Amino acid sequence: GAVVSQHPSWVICKSGTSVKIECRSLDFQATTMFWYRQFPKQSLMLMATSNEGSKATYEQGVEKDKFLINHASLTLSTLTVTSAHPEDSSFYICTASRGSSYNSPLHFGNGTRLTVT
Amino acid sequence: AQTVTQSQPEMSVQEAETVTLSCTYDTSESDYYLFWYKQPPSRQMILVIRQEAYKQQNATENRFSVNFQKAAKSFSLKISDSQLGDAAMYFCAYRSATSGSRLTFGEGTQLTVNP
């Protein structure tokens, strides 16, 4: 089956530093990737949608200068948390879509647990 | 905007018994998909079952089945013969063309299976 590799699975960083999270589709081309954030015991909240070769579309309330998303190829999207602060500590999950249609298969990465100290 | 509501934050069931998780949604569209995802402690999202709105027949996957009531905008998940491994957080989710093909999740229901 389709595999989406998300790396790292967990990371601890100091306040003020930046962290990059990668999401790779290993055996298919991901036209669209979605980035979600999940706080403990809460639901997944969409942060942004990225399409290969174009700028990401951010959800209302998500700071695009803080959460930089790059989708430079059909198999790789990255999320960079810039100048991280403790309140950015969360679980981040990427989802890759095989196509741009709403009935295209979706595949989840395993998530990244970010802790900012 | 589409919304998904799960009114049961927590549910419990005895092993081998049946449990039903509730989900309602709000949409003005006629064509969409509904999903149930399982998230165990590892936090990996696992697709349990999906339903296409234009299909009247309720989806079934082994011990998992749904009761899809399109007019009532209800999409409940029934787990039969519950197993200890079914214990997890369950999320109901919605996806459509006009929502940018994104998944919109409900708040989740934490399912406990008692031995």
Side-chain angles (χ1 to χ4, degrees):
Chain A
V3 177
V4 173
S5 174
Q6 188 172 341
H7 178 80
S9 56
W10 60 271
V11 59
I12 301 173
C13 71
K14 292 189 175 182
S15 186
T17 62
S18 295
V19 174
K20 180 184 285 188
I21 302 170
E22 293 188 348
C23 182
R24 291 181 184 272
S25 55
L26 299 184
D27 56 356
F28 67 97
Q29 292 184 331
T31 310
T32 304
M33 287 190 178
F34 303 92
W35 286 93
Y36 289 85
R37 182 174 182 176
Q38 185 182 28
F39 289 109
K41 299 188 184 299
Q42 294 189 21
S43 186
L44 285 74
M45 300 302 296
L46 182 66
M47 298 176 66
T49 302
S50 73
N51 293 292
E52 185 267 338
S54 61
K55 289 184 178 181
T57 301
Y58 290 82
E59 295 299 299
Q60 191 173 7
V62 177
E63 300 175 61
K64 60 181 179 182
D65 294 331
K66 180 169 187 61
F67 299 99
L68 300 179
I69 292 173
N70 182 281
H71 194 160
S73 77
L74 283 171
T75 59
L76 175 64
S77 178
T78 61
L79 166 66
T80 301
V81 183
T82 63
S83 185
H85 291 284
E87 58 265 30
D88 298 324
S89 298
S90 187
F91 191 68
Y92 294 87
I93 307 175
C94 70
T95 305
S97 178
R98 283 182 180 264
S100 56
S101 172
Y102 75 105
N103 57 4
S104 301
L106 280 172
H107 305 282
F108 282 83
N110 286 340
T112 297
R113 186 185 306 275
L114 170 64
T115 301
V116 184
T117 61
Chain B
Q2 294 82 8
T3 58
V4 179
T5 302
Q6 293 177 248
S7 58
Q8 306 156 315
E10 299 176 347
M11 290 285 284
S12 63
V13 63
Q14 290 296 125
E15 195 175 4
E17 296 294 309
T18 296
V19 64
T20 298
L21 308 185
S22 301
C23 172
T24 58
Y25 58 96
D26 185 27
T27 184
S28 58
E29 298 174 291
S30 59
D31 200 10
Y32 49 87
Y33 282 83
L34 294 165
F35 305 83
W36 279 98
Y37 283 92
K38 171 185 178 181
Q39 189 180 43
S42 67
R43 304 190 83 168
Q44 172 67 45
M45 296 293 285
I46 301 167
L47 176 64
V48 175
I49 200 166
R50 78 172 194 173
Q51 174 79 43
E52 298 165 80
Y54 64 87
K55 288 188 176 180
Q56 292 185 335
Q57 186 173 5
N58 289 324
T60 300
E61 288 288 342
N62 300 313
R63 297 183 295 108
F64 300 87
S65 61
V66 297
N67 183 3
F68 174 48
Q69 301 291 325
K70 191 171 184 179
K73 297 178 183 175
S74 170
F75 183 61
S76 61
L77 173 70
K78 186 172 80 171
I79 306 174
S80 303
D81 187 25
S82 298
Q83 301 175 359
L84 295 177
D86 295 334
M89 180 72 88
Y90 285 82
F91 290 101
C92 177
Y94 171 100
R95 190 183 189 200
S96 73
T98 60
S99 66
S101 300
R102 72 190 65 179
L103 281 169
T104 299
F105 291 91
E107 304 91 334
T109 297
Q110 181 67 51
L111 178 66
T112 301
V113 181
N114 300 309

